[in-house]
Amino acid sequence: MYKILQLLVSLFAFVVCAPKYSYTVNKFQVPLDHFGFQRNETFSIRYLVNDDNWDQGNGPIFFYTGNEGQIEVFANHTGFMWEIAAQFKAKIVFAEHRYYGESMPFKEKSLKNENIGYLSSAQAMADYADLINYLQENRIKPRYPVIAFGGSYGGMLAAYMRLKYPHIVNGAIAASAPVHMFTGMTNCNIFNRLATSSFKNVNINCSSNIRDSWSVIRNYSSNANGSEWLHSNWKLCSPLKNSTDVASLLDFLNSMYSTLAMVNYPYASDFLMPLPAEPVRYVCQYLEQKLAGEELLKAIGNVLEVYTNYDKRSKCTDYKQGDNYGNLDAAGWDYQACTEMVMPMCSNGNTDMFEPMPWNYTLFAEDCHKKYNVYPRPEMARIEYGGDRLQAASNIVFSNGMKDPWTGGGILDSLSDTIYAEVIPDAAHHLDLMPSNPNDPEPVKMTREMHKEHITRWINQFQEQQSSIRHPHNHM
Amino acid sequence: MYKILQLLVSLFAFVVCAPKYSYTVNKFQVPLDHFGFQRNETFSIRYLVNDDNWDQGNGPIFFYTGNEGQIEVFANHTGFMWEIAAQFKAKIVFAEHRYYGESMPFKEKSLKNENIGYLSSAQAMADYADLINYLQENRIKPRYPVIAFGGSYGGMLAAYMRLKYPHIVNGAIAASAPVHMFTGMTNCNIFNRLATSSFKNVNINCSSNIRDSWSVIRNYSSNANGSEWLHSNWKLCSPLKNSTDVASLLDFLNSMYSTLAMVNYPYASDFLMPLPAEPVRYVCQYLEQKLAGEELLKAIGNVLEVYTNYDKRSKCTDYKQGDNYGNLDAAGWDYQACTEMVMPMCSNGNTDMFEPMPWNYTLFAEDCHKKYNVYPRPEMARIEYGGDRLQAASNIVFSNGMKDPWTGGGILDSLSDTIYAEVIPDAAHHLDLMPSNPNDPEPVKMTREMHKEHITRWINQFQEQQSSIRHPHNHM
């Protein structure tokens, strides 16, 4: 009975959760390198605009700082901006991050090692600053207050825009931004521990079955029969031919559990991939009983089927996509993680349900070097973006859902009178930015009300500064 | 009698104004490109350190953000930092700007077009941020408050460090920083008008003689006899062979008057070149009477002699050095002016004493392109560094001497409760940062006292933040 009800809710949610927002698609020319002049090419980034509600004389610009993926995905899932635009008479802009979607400096060759070096958060933010200047019609004194919005890495960018460009961005809603997920700032285990909690909270057997599954998978994949069993029963797109394939499959599963915890929304959503409401609860139904051997593998196969084929459109499980699986087309992120966004992750198989995997920086760095011919700069994000010192900035809201494993790297305590933390029980990854839904938990609704209050205050602050005439108070 | 007295004062000043500060010379490795990874070379910048007065447990770091020139020149002339170090128990650091002095990424080939592209303020500031992080011993929670100091372009960098790295720099003394000298923000004529005032204020004939001199020089240099007269009487290092040479000579003279106004200090100083006390007054003694023709040229020759040979060590006037003449070895500045630091300058020969020269951006840009194969980015500094919106930052003092033509691009009114303007009558270019001198005008002494108060407050603020334990005040 419960399951039928859940199915009905899910179907209903599919309808209300896929609103079609309308926008124009625009292009904006930016320098390849904002901070030097060795190469002077330019290219175009895309941005989406909706002016339907804009009070062109005074209305604010709501600016989504695009993250790792094509910008439409964020535009279509950041309902909060669309829903409050009328109240604020705001212009809505979604800017696409360079090297993602169609904002490619070197077209289809952009991600090749000889071209990828201009992919960085600093360059992307400088793109956004240039674009906002253009939207302000290149005025010396900007006319429109600008509020930055972003979720996840986009939330980091929204916050960092306010830190680095306080003269351009008046306030930032940074949802689920793991700004503390850098070297020395957070335990490398926290992400996997929190992801495990999501499964364990549904049913302790769910997480322990997953924990047990790794050795069974390794056992099966160590011989031809077992490998073939997995290939056929898990509908793998290609057979497990060698240890690299096995490693890819394990990575894929690892990423699957993390993602299910991240997008553990109270309604069906196709944000990263089509999934039912409360996907962790949903997949844990297969893992309710303590299982072993082939029974356990069959259950994991059911989880895989939900993750990869909930819309029944997929023919097989493309496990070789690793953690790049899903709608985002985030191929460039691996490079960012190998250069500036170095986020140490580890697991121990004890306080978490994953295979034990220490954080080995040396191995990580060598692997990055092999792939991209660069070594990571693990201190870079902290030095450029404040790390533990974000109280030096102002007008930022950091919101974090307690169901989201990224919360482990989030700011959970307000840092000052203008750097606020909003901790949202019952919410997964930046649920507060998603379109409102009848299934939304109360705390998310309250958080959205708080966001509106902050935005109102930032806009008022801007208007006051615009109208105030400064009186000289020099000494002499 | 007055002149003898002045000479005695000058000699005395030479002695007290050339203190020898002691420091260790260090090197620090930085990435060639902080904001991307296309090229992963590193190189070393130099920095000078003095720890004599430092309270190593708690004392602040006084950090001079080096500008266009070898760092020793700034270290030796920024007496203010040295003189207050004991009171604040401060560590003193002078960091050299990349592509100047010995901080050359490509050694002697650094300024070649194929290598110069990593010369930018953003890269230099990222060098400084890395260096400060190193001086904080790479701590997540920095231990020492950091105060940035700088004069002129170095003052801009000090202010911009606070704007862009508020988590790293706790306050900034930005002396004579022309942060408004960018496109659309200030009349292009203001610098030359203020420079003219300095001469006019000594004697109206002084400025009008200079105004009259241009046509006489052009007249002389248009024929062989006249050119030879100038070559020999002005001790030019090379003859005026063509119109390029004549243009160089005129540039050199133009720069001479601007520089004399800038460094119009109340005592002899060898900051940019050895000059007597009140150099504008000094050179105007030759231009007291209304002069014409050869008499006028002889008088200008006397001015040239003061400018180029006050210490009697120079054999001839190397006019081809243009505005790069002097101690700084600022060859890279022309490139910066052609890329990001685009400061429109013009003269009309009417409200100023210079040859009429409109600001022609197109010509300027073409000239830059010819020299460096780059086109300027005239909006870049405004977008990156706040332009007219510096109230978005905090904890900056902008000081400007009213005798300094750069004051025309300075912030003269306080912008907020934490962005202060200090206007200093009777002071030339960042006199407040120079070593104290018996001839200092009272307002400069007062400004230095104000600086100390601001620094004290910023340090206290840092200490309070260090000791405060944040209490969570989340909603739920």
Side-chain angles (χ1 to χ4, degrees):
Chain A
M1 177 62 197
Y2 174 74
K3 274 178 197 161
I4 292 171
L5 186 67
Q6 195 182 45
L7 183 67
L8 283 171
V9 168
S10 300
L11 284 171
F12 174 69
F14 253 117
V15 177
V16 299
C17 285
K20 286 283 158 281
Y21 303 121
S22 73
Y23 41 73
T24 59
V25 181
N26 304 273
K27 297 207 161 197
F28 180 70
Q29 207 172 40
V30 293
L32 180 64
D33 185 358
H34 286 273
F35 304 103
F37 313 90
Q38 201 67 38
R39 291 180 61 171
N40 288 286
E41 298 102 309
T42 60
F43 71 102
S44 289
I45 60 165
R46 282 196 309 158
Y47 66 104
L48 316 179
V49 174
N50 178 302
D51 282 345
D52 291 351
N53 294 295
W54 195 30
D55 171 1
Q56 196 155 351
N58 297 293
I61 298 174
F62 286 177
F63 191 97
Y64 188 94
T65 50
N67 31 325
E68 73 284 20
Q70 58 272 57
I71 193 62
E72 291 90 342
V73 173
F74 303 111
N76 290 332
H77 290 85
T78 310
F80 179 64
M81 284 170 68
W82 295 96
E83 292 175 14
I84 67 171
Q87 177 188 337
F88 287 97
K89 300 182 177 173
K91 181 191 191 88
I92 292 183
V93 177
F94 284 84
E96 191 166 70
H97 195 295
R98 56 165 61 196
Y99 286 88
Y100 295 98
E102 295 177 24
S103 297
M104 291 295 188
F106 302 93
K107 305 242 167 59
E108 70 286 354
K109 292 183 178 160
S110 295
L111 299 183
K112 298 214 176 285
N113 279 0
E114 63 269 28
N115 293 327
I116 200 171
Y118 298 93
L119 166 53
S120 75
S121 55
Q123 298 283 6
M125 286 197 283
D127 293 340
Y128 300 158
D130 273 10
L131 174 55
I132 294 170
N133 177 63
Y134 167 77
L135 297 172
Q136 296 277 14
E137 290 134 32
N138 202 26
R139 282 190 185 83
I140 305 292
K141 289 183 199 295
R143 182 167 175 182
Y144 312 111
V146 177
I147 310 298
F149 296 77
S152 196
Y153 170 52
M156 298 167 82
L157 294 176
Y160 298 161
M161 280 299 288
R162 174 64 191 163
L163 173 73
K164 302 299 261 188
Y165 296 92
H167 50 289
I168 286 184
V169 163
N170 303 97
I173 301 288
S176 301
V179 292
H180 282 180
M181 205 61 106
F182 296 116
T183 304
M185 299 181 65
T186 301
N187 191 310
C188 60
N189 176 242
I190 195 153
F191 182 96
N192 286 322
R193 195 150 49 82
L194 291 175
T196 300
S197 297
S198 281
F199 291 79
K200 191 171 166 182
N201 287 344
V202 173
N203 180 336
I204 194 158
N205 283 338
C206 188
S207 55
S208 68
N209 276 326
I210 294 169
R211 185 184 291 114
D212 292 346
S213 71
W214 305 109
S215 63
V216 186
I217 299 166
R218 286 211 181 265
N219 189 12
Y220 265 60
S221 59
S222 68
N223 63 71
N225 281 350
S227 293
E228 189 40 43
W229 188 96
L230 290 169
H231 181 202
S232 127
N233 280 273
W234 285 6
K235 301 190 204 160
L236 304 182
C237 294
S238 57
L240 298 165
K241 281 193 263 188
N242 49 43
S243 61
T244 309
D245 290 347
V246 175
S248 296
L249 177 64
L250 294 170
D251 278 354
F252 187 83
L253 291 169
N254 206 313
S255 173
M256 172 177 79
Y257 299 122
S258 305
T259 302
L260 288 170
M262 266 169 63
V263 299
N264 195 17
Y265 300 126
Y267 46 82
S269 167
D270 63 352
F271 172 44
L272 297 180
M273 63 280 296
L275 285 174
E278 297 193 56
V280 172
R281 182 177 298 281
Y282 192 96
V283 302
C284 279
Q285 67 179 305
Y286 305 113
L287 298 160
E288 266 176 9
Q289 311 301 323
K290 195 75 186 147
L291 303 168
E294 208 160 284
E295 289 308 305
L296 177 51
L297 292 185
K298 279 182 186 165
I300 302 285
N302 289 333
V303 177
L304 263 172
E305 175 74 7
V306 173
Y307 183 65
T308 61
N309 198 22
Y310 187 64
D311 63 355
K312 305 291 170 203
R313 291 189 189 172
S314 166
K315 294 212 175 105
C316 60
T317 299
D318 190 6
Y319 66 89
K320 291 191 178 176
Q321 286 200 40
D323 56 8
N324 192 29
Y325 178 76
N327 289 334
L328 281 187
D329 190 17
W333 181 254
D334 191 51
Y335 181 78
Q336 291 197 260
C338 262
T339 50
E340 51 169 344
M341 294 290 151
V342 181
M343 298 182 174
M345 295 272 178
C346 64
S347 49
N348 54 36
N350 179 19
T351 59
D352 59 63
M353 66 189 189
F354 297 92
E355 279 196 300
M357 175 86 75
W359 171 246
N360 184 328
Y361 176 73
T362 311
L363 273 183
F364 171 79
E366 283 307 329
D367 186 52
C368 290
H369 189 249
K370 205 156 62 183
K371 283 190 283 190
Y372 302 116
N373 202 29
V374 297
Y375 283 106
R377 301 188 194 162
E379 265 90 41
M380 181 172 163
R382 178 169 59 80
I383 295 173
E384 277 298 317
Y385 304 132
D388 192 43
R389 303 278 99 179
L390 276 162
Q391 55 269 53
S394 63
N395 291 7
I396 306 176
V397 170
F398 289 102
S399 61
N400 281 284
M402 292 309 283
K403 279 186 166 181
D404 176 15
W406 287 111
T407 288
I411 289 183
L412 307 186
D413 293 340
S414 293
L415 298 177
S416 74
D417 291 344
T418 63
I419 303 284
Y420 305 87
E422 302 277 353
V423 175
I424 325 174
D426 300 325
H429 207 42
H430 52 78
L431 179 59
D432 45 329
L433 293 191
M434 299 267 166
S436 60
N437 184 285
N439 287 5
D440 279 332
E442 278 307 309
V444 169
K445 296 181 193 170
M446 285 175 66
T447 299
R448 291 186 185 130
E449 290 306 311
M450 303 290 302
H451 287 350
K452 288 197 271 182
E453 283 176 29
H454 290 298
I455 293 166
T456 303
R457 202 181 49 260
W458 298 334
I459 292 173
N460 289 343
Q461 222 175 61
F462 175 87
Q463 308 291 13
E464 279 160 26
Q465 281 168 7
Q466 291 295 89
S467 57
S468 76
I469 297 153
R470 306 264 8 140
H471 297 286
H473 36 113
N474 302 314
H475 314 266
M476 331 268 113
Chain B
M1 178 61 198
Y2 173 73
K3 276 178 198 161
I4 292 172
L5 186 64
Q6 195 182 43
L7 184 66
L8 282 172
V9 168
S10 303
L11 285 171
F12 174 69
F14 253 116
V15 177
V16 296
C17 285
K20 287 284 159 277
Y21 303 121
S22 72
Y23 41 73
T24 59
V25 181
N26 304 275
K27 298 207 162 194
F28 180 70
Q29 209 173 37
V30 292
L32 180 63
D33 185 357
H34 286 272
F35 304 104
F37 312 91
Q38 201 66 39
R39 289 179 62 171
N40 287 287
E41 298 102 308
T42 61
F43 71 101
S44 290
I45 60 166
R46 281 195 310 159
Y47 66 105
L48 316 179
V49 173
N50 179 303
D51 282 344
D52 291 351
N53 295 295
W54 196 30
D55 171 1
Q56 197 155 349
N58 297 291
I61 299 174
F62 285 177
F63 192 95
Y64 188 94
T65 50
N67 33 324
E68 74 284 21
Q70 58 272 57
I71 194 61
E72 291 90 342
V73 173
F74 303 111
N76 290 332
H77 290 87
T78 309
F80 178 64
M81 283 171 67
W82 296 95
E83 291 175 15
I84 66 171
Q87 177 188 336
F88 287 96
K89 300 182 178 173
K91 179 190 192 89
I92 292 181
V93 177
F94 284 85
E96 190 165 70
H97 195 297
R98 56 165 60 196
Y99 285 87
Y100 295 98
E102 295 176 25
S103 298
M104 291 294 188
F106 301 93
K107 306 241 166 62
E108 70 286 355
K109 292 181 178 164
S110 296
L111 299 182
K112 297 214 176 287
N113 280 0
E114 63 270 27
N115 294 326
I116 200 172
Y118 298 92
L119 166 54
S120 75
S121 55
Q123 299 282 7
M125 286 197 283
D127 294 340
Y128 300 159
D130 273 9
L131 174 54
I132 293 170
N133 175 63
Y134 167 78
L135 297 171
Q136 296 276 15
E137 291 133 33
N138 202 28
R139 283 189 185 82
I140 305 292
K141 290 183 197 296
R143 181 168 176 181
Y144 312 111
V146 176
I147 310 298
F149 296 77
S152 197
Y153 169 52
M156 299 167 82
L157 293 178
Y160 297 162
M161 280 299 287
R162 174 65 192 163
L163 173 72
K164 303 298 258 188
Y165 296 91
H167 49 290
I168 287 183
V169 163
N170 303 97
I173 301 288
S176 300
V179 291
H180 282 181
M181 205 60 108
F182 296 115
T183 304
M185 299 182 61
T186 301
N187 190 309
C188 61
N189 177 242
I190 195 152
F191 183 96
N192 286 322
R193 194 150 49 81
L194 291 175
T196 300
S197 297
S198 281
F199 292 80
K200 192 171 168 182
N201 287 346
V202 173
N203 180 337
I204 196 160
N205 282 340
C206 189
S207 55
S208 69
N209 276 326
I210 293 168
R211 185 185 291 114
D212 292 347
S213 70
W214 305 109
S215 62
V216 185
I217 299 165
R218 284 210 180 266
N219 190 13
Y220 265 61
S221 57
S222 69
N223 63 70
N225 280 352
S227 292
E228 190 39 44
W229 188 95
L230 289 169
H231 181 202
S232 121
N233 280 271
W234 283 7
K235 302 190 205 159
L236 304 182
C237 294
S238 58
L240 298 165
K241 280 192 261 187
N242 50 43
S243 61
T244 309
D245 290 347
V246 175
S248 296
L249 177 64
L250 294 170
D251 278 354
F252 187 85
L253 292 168
N254 206 311
S255 172
M256 170 177 80
Y257 298 123
S258 304
T259 302
L260 288 170
M262 264 169 64
V263 300
N264 195 17
Y265 300 125
Y267 46 82
S269 168
D270 62 353
F271 171 45
L272 297 180
M273 61 280 296
L275 285 174
E278 297 193 53
V280 172
R281 181 177 300 280
Y282 192 96
V283 301
C284 279
Q285 69 180 303
Y286 305 115
L287 298 159
E288 266 175 11
Q289 313 299 323
K290 195 75 184 145
L291 302 169
E294 206 159 286
E295 288 309 305
L296 178 50
L297 292 185
K298 279 183 184 163
I300 303 286
N302 289 335
V303 177
L304 264 172
E305 175 73 7
V306 173
Y307 183 64
T308 60
N309 197 22
Y310 187 65
D311 63 356
K312 304 291 172 205
R313 292 189 189 173
S314 165
K315 293 210 172 107
C316 60
T317 298
D318 190 6
Y319 66 90
K320 292 191 178 177
Q321 286 199 39
D323 56 9
N324 192 27
Y325 178 76
N327 290 335
L328 280 189
D329 189 15
W333 182 254
D334 191 51
Y335 180 77
Q336 291 196 261
C338 263
T339 49
E340 52 170 343
M341 294 290 151
V342 181
M343 298 182 174
M345 294 270 178
C346 65
S347 50
N348 54 36
N350 181 19
T351 59
D352 59 62
M353 66 189 189
F354 297 92
E355 279 197 300
M357 175 85 74
W359 170 246
N360 184 328
Y361 176 73
T362 312
L363 274 182
F364 172 78
E366 284 306 330
D367 187 51
C368 289
H369 188 249
K370 204 157 61 183
K371 282 190 283 190
Y372 302 116
N373 201 30
V374 296
Y375 284 106
R377 301 188 194 162
E379 266 90 40
M380 181 171 163
R382 178 168 60 79
I383 295 172
E384 277 299 316
Y385 303 132
D388 192 41
R389 303 277 98 179
L390 276 162
Q391 54 270 51
S394 63
N395 291 7
I396 306 175
V397 170
F398 289 102
S399 61
N400 280 284
M402 293 309 283
K403 279 186 165 179
D404 176 15
W406 287 111
T407 288
I411 288 182
L412 307 186
D413 293 340
S414 295
L415 298 179
S416 74
D417 291 344
T418 63
I419 303 284
Y420 305 87
E422 302 278 351
V423 176
I424 324 172
D426 301 327
H429 207 43
H430 53 77
L431 179 58
D432 45 330
L433 293 191
M434 299 266 168
S436 60
N437 185 286
N439 286 6
D440 280 330
E442 278 307 311
V444 169
K445 296 180 194 171
M446 284 175 66
T447 299
R448 290 185 186 133
E449 291 305 312
M450 303 291 302
H451 287 350
K452 288 197 271 181
E453 284 175 28
H454 291 297
I455 294 166
T456 303
R457 203 181 49 260
W458 299 333
I459 292 173
N460 290 343
Q461 223 172 61
F462 174 87
Q463 308 291 14
E464 280 160 26
Q465 280 167 6
Q466 290 295 90
S467 58
S468 76
I469 298 155
R470 308 265 5 139
H471 297 287
H473 36 110
N474 302 316
H475 315 265
M476 322 275 114

